[in-house]
């Protein structure tokens, strides 16, 4: 897990780091590379995704500081790690959780809390508490609202001489426009939610559509289920829904793999033919996405839900960053809310048993990762019932267990919401520090400033790739996540080789500034080396 989460460190750091940083004036690119080559020996412990895992015996000892995640205790000393998506160690809510544990202990002492098996959706009372908390965060009305078939719809159907159908719809088709307890299901985090949804909704060899640049650990879950991972065109907001629509309508071109053999022997190849494109899942991070930091607009969300109902695929919406927003503009609706509105306008769909959306989220980013408490949200109880019927849930009850009680004790308190607001302010400040420093360095990279989440997605200057940047950044002891690591599949890697992801949540403002300075120097050294090589080749 450390290697996956630290990406650049696990992929790029070699086993020996006994070299020193050279000043700009005395360090030519060739000298840097020769220095690194002469003082390092690559590890042979190569694993899937071409990650190199440094051995702990060759790592410099690193004391856990106030900002450092304990999982990074063995990284090279003095490394500025802009790669990992961890919270700052000193910003974890230790007192809030400690107080919540004390309150849980008091309830246990007075037999007010259950230590027996718990319901499939979560501990008694906890789901209701989670619902209240999320309504406050999402600024939804506490009162129950219902959206019914309008008079215009009823009149239209009556004019079509279908009075019985109209009356049935007008009388039965109601949908709750706000989040309800029966829409929620506790999980052990986002990864567990994705795992559950994939297990329930897909089978081996089914197709899952991802954004080209996606959360790189989610794809491993789909691989575990032997799914085929494919992508469609992306735009400035992530997944291009119109491109998905065209592919659904037109299908894919199938080229028989035997054609290459036939051509080699002079035989006539088989004709190309169209095949239906029918994915089972679409996985997206729609709000302040990982890694790109972008947000899918409202109309694109509505169209994606409509397509899901038309072509009967499911949307796994990873909405872990939806609450972690400091945007001045209102966010688009969560995907479950989009589907509730869709069902209200399409009564025949609401009366059926198909639901498209599974939203996964957690307290990892807004409280603490070690709690391992998250939730699944669905448009209504139709989809949630599928999760309750899993064998291990029936056998052992909900997996969040006692931890869900602790979290619910915490989120009842006004100090917790104050903590979350402070956290968003802190992240907004450090995001601004990172973006301002990137602008001041002005070495030719491009990026968009996010208004939430954890990450900034950077396009490197022409001719600079994450791989060519590697030895210089390693020498300067600054870490980033290579864009290729975020690719949904191998076919996307070439498209992402000029991108890197930086995290502003894990480090202090001063560490961020120092890290960007080093990264800028590394980029300039790559460009300088290219100039030297171009001149040398020209002279030759």
């Amino acid at each position: 897990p450390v290697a996956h989460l630290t990406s650049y460190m696990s992929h790029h750091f070699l086993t020996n780091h006994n070299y020193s940083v050279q000043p700009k004036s005395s360090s030519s690119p060739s000298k840097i590379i020769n220095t690194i080559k002469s003082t390092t020996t690559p590890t042979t412990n190569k694993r899937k995704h071409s990650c190199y895992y440094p051995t702990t015996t060759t790592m410099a000892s690193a004391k856990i500081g106030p900002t450092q995640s304990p999982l990074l205790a063995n990284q090279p000393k003095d490394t500025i790690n802009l790669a990992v998506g961890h919270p700052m160690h000193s910003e974890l809510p230790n007192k809030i959780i400690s107080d919540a544990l004390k309150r849980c202990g008091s309830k246990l002492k007075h037999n007010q809390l259950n230590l027996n098996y718990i319901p499939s959706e979560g501990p008694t009372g906890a789901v209701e508490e989670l619902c209240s908390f999320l309504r406050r965060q999402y600024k939804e009305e506490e009162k129950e609202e219902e959206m019914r078939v309008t008079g215009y719809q009823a009149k239209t159907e009556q004019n079509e001489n279908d009075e019985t159908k109209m009356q049935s719809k007008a009388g039965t088709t109601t949908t709750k426009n706000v989040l309800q307890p029966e829409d929620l299901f506790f999980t052990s985090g986002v990864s567990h939610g994705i795992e559950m949804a994939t297990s329930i909704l897909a089978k081996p060899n089914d197709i899952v559509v991802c954004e080209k640049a996606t959360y790189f650990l989610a794809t491993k879950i789909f691989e575990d289920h032997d799914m085929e991972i494919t992508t469609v065109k992306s735009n400035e907001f992530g997944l291009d829904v119109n491109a998905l629509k065209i592919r659904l309508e037109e299908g894919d071109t199938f080229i028989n793999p035997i054609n290459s053999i036939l051509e080699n022997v002079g035989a006539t190849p088989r004709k190309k033919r169209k095949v239906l494109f029918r994915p089972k899942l679409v996985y997206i991070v729609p709000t302040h996405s990982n890694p790109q930091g972008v947000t899918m607009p409202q109309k694109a969300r509505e169209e994606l839900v409509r397509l899901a109902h038309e072509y009967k695929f499911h949307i796994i919406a990873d909405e872990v960053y939806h609450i972690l927003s400091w945007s001045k503009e209102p966010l688009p609706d969560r995907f479950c809310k989009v589907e509730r509105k869709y069902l209200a306008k399409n009564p025949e769909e609401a009366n059926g048993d198909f639901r498209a959306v599974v939203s996964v989220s957690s307290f990892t980013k807004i409280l603490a990762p070690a709690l391992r408490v998250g939730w699944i949200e669905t448009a209504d109880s139709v989809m949630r019932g599928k999760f309750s019927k899993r064998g291990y849930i029936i056998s052992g009850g909900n997996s969040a267990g006692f931890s869900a009680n602790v979290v619910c004790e915490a989120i009842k308190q006004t100090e917790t919401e104050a903590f979350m607001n402070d956290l968003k302010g802190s992240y907004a400040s450090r995001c601004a520090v990172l973006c301002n420093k990137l602008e001041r360095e002005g070495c030719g990279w491009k990026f968009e400033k996010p208004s939430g989440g954890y990450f900034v997605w950077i396009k490197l200057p022409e001719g600079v790739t994450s791989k060519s940047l590697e030895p210089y950044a390693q020498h300067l002891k600054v870490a980033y996540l290579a864009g290729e690591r975020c690719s949904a599949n191998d076919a996307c890697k070439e498209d992402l080789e000029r991108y890197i992801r930086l995290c502003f949540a894990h480090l202090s403002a001063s560490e961020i500034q120092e890290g960007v300075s080093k990264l800028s120097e590394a980029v300039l050294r790559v460009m300088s080396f290219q100039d030297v090589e171009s001149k040398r080749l020209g002279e030759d």
Side-chain angles (χ1 to χ4, degrees), residues 27 54 64 118 191 466:
S27 298
I64 298 297
I118 61 176
S191 298
S466 61

Side-chain angles (χ1 to χ4, degrees), residues 432-470:
V433 168
L434 174 58
C435 292
N436 292 339
K437 183 65 174 176
L438 287 169
E439 288 174 350
R440 287 198 302 272
E441 289 297 328
C443 62
W445 46 34
K446 297 177 182 179
F447 66 95
E448 294 294 329
K449 185 177 181 180
S451 56
Y454 260 40
F455 306 109
V456 177
W457 185 240
I458 297 174
K459 186 174 185 179
L460 296 169
E462 187 72 35
V464 181
T465 67
S466 61
K467 188 173 182 180
S468 66
L469 188 62
E470 171 188 329

Side-chain angles (χ1 to χ4, degrees), residues 6 47 120 135 254 271 277 317 354 439 490 515 534:
T6 57
R47 300 187 182 179
S120 59
R135 281 181 176 178
F254 175 75
K271 290 183 179 180
F277 176 65
F354 178 81
E439 288 174 350
D490 288 342
S534 296

Side-chain angles (χ1 to χ4, degrees), residues 5 238 251 313 371 495 508:
L5 289 171
F313 61 81
L371 293 169
D495 294 337
S508 67

Side-chain angles (χ1 to χ4, degrees), residues 253-322:
T253 300
F254 175 75
I255 302 175
N256 198 312
I258 202 174
N259 279 359
S260 59
I261 299 174
L262 295 174
E263 289 171 354
N264 287 337
V265 297
T268 303
R270 306 284 173 84
K271 290 183 179 180
K272 298 177 183 178
R273 58 187 175 88
K274 284 287 186 179
V275 294
L276 290 175
F277 176 65
R278 293 295 179 265
K280 184 63 70 173
L281 301 176
V282 171
Y283 169 76
I284 50 173
V285 188
T287 307
H288 307 310
S289 69
N290 178 4
Q292 299 175 79
V294 298
T295 296
M296 180 181 284
Q298 181 72 18
K299 287 186 178 179
R301 296 173 187 233
E302 292 170 357
E303 177 65 3
L304 185 56
V305 168
R306 188 193 69 76
L307 289 172
H309 278 266
E310 180 179 351
Y311 292 97
K312 296 297 182 281
F313 61 81
H314 297 281
I315 302 165
I316 299 180
D318 185 342
E319 298 184 296
V320 70
Y321 300 106
H322 196 94

Side-chain angles (χ1 to χ4, degrees), residues 235-532:
N235 58 26
E236 67 269 32
F237 305 112
L239 184 77
D240 188 330
V241 177
N242 189 56
L244 175 62
K245 178 184 176 182
I246 292 171
R247 192 170 175 188
L248 289 165
E249 291 173 345
E250 297 182 357
D252 286 340
T253 300
F254 175 75
I255 302 175
N256 198 312
I258 202 174
N259 279 359
S260 59
I261 299 174
L262 295 174
E263 289 171 354
N264 287 337
V265 297
T268 303
R270 306 284 173 84
K271 290 183 179 180
K272 298 177 183 178
R273 58 187 175 88
K274 284 287 186 179
V275 294
L276 290 175
F277 176 65
R278 293 295 179 265
K280 184 63 70 173
L281 301 176
V282 171
Y283 169 76
I284 50 173
V285 188
T287 307
H288 307 310
S289 69
N290 178 4
Q292 299 175 79
V294 298
T295 296
M296 180 181 284
Q298 181 72 18
K299 287 186 178 179
R301 296 173 187 233
E302 292 170 357
E303 177 65 3
L304 185 56
V305 168
R306 188 193 69 76
L307 289 172
H309 278 266
E310 180 179 351
Y311 292 97
K312 296 297 182 281
F313 61 81
H314 297 281
I315 302 165
I316 299 180
D318 185 342
E319 298 184 296
V320 70
Y321 300 106
H322 196 94
I323 293 176
L324 199 61
S325 177
W326 49 88
S327 173
K328 293 180 180 179
E329 300 297 325
L331 287 175
D333 290 338
R334 303 181 322 282
F335 262 87
C336 285
K337 191 166 186 177
V338 173
E339 186 170 31
R340 290 185 193 111
K341 291 180 178 179
Y342 174 86
L343 294 172
K345 294 177 182 178
N346 297 273
E348 68 285 352
E349 296 274 3
N351 289 331
D353 60 359
F354 178 81
R355 298 293 183 268
V357 177
V358 175
S359 170
V360 293
S361 193
S362 86
F363 289 96
T364 295
K365 306 300 183 186
I366 56 176
L367 277 179
L371 293 169
R372 304 317 307 151
V373 177
W375 67 89
I376 284 171
E377 180 187 352
T378 59
D380 55 28
S381 59
V382 173
M383 175 64 84
R384 193 186 80 164
K386 297 181 180 181
F387 290 88
S388 299
K389 293 175 182 177
R390 298 300 291 170
Y392 74 93
I393 297 294
I394 294 173
S395 172
N398 188 276
S399 64
F402 190 75
S403 294
N405 285 318
V406 176
V407 168
C408 285
E409 280 297 325
I411 61 179
K412 287 179 185 178
Q413 310 305 314
T414 56
E415 65 174 336
T416 303
E417 295 195 30
F419 161 80
M420 291 179 183
N421 288 331
D422 289 344
L423 189 66
K424 285 189 279 189
S426 179
Y427 286 168
S429 175
R430 299 208 295 278
C431 175
V433 168
L434 174 58
C435 292
N436 292 339
K437 183 65 174 176
L438 287 169
E439 288 174 350
R440 287 198 302 272
E441 289 297 328
C443 62
W445 46 34
K446 297 177 182 179
F447 66 95
E448 294 294 329
K449 185 177 181 180
S451 56
Y454 260 40
F455 306 109
V456 177
W457 185 240
I458 297 174
K459 186 174 185 179
L460 296 169
E462 187 72 35
V464 181
T465 67
S466 61
K467 188 173 182 180
S468 66
L469 188 62
E470 171 188 329
Y472 301 91
Q474 178 182 339
H475 184 75
L476 295 169
K477 295 189 178 180
V478 59
Y480 57 84
L481 185 70
E484 299 99 308
R485 286 296 310 280
C486 302
S487 61
N489 55 31
D490 288 342
C492 304
K493 288 186 176 181
E494 186 175 348
D495 294 337
L496 302 179
E497 64 181 5
R498 280 183 58 199
Y499 290 87
I500 59 173
R501 190 198 76 179
L502 304 184
C503 176
F504 50 79
H506 177 59
L507 301 174
S508 67
S510 60
E511 289 170 323
I512 289 170
Q513 290 179 322
E514 184 182 356
V516 173
S517 292
K518 290 184 174 184
L519 199 57
S520 173
E521 181 177 346
V523 169
L524 292 173
R525 289 184 180 186
V526 174
M527 297 169 71
S528 174
F529 178 72
Q530 290 174 340
D531 290 342
V532 170

Side-chain angles (χ1 to χ4, degrees), residues 52 141 198 245 373 471:
Y52 288 90
E141 296 288 336
T198 306
K245 178 184 176 182
V373 177

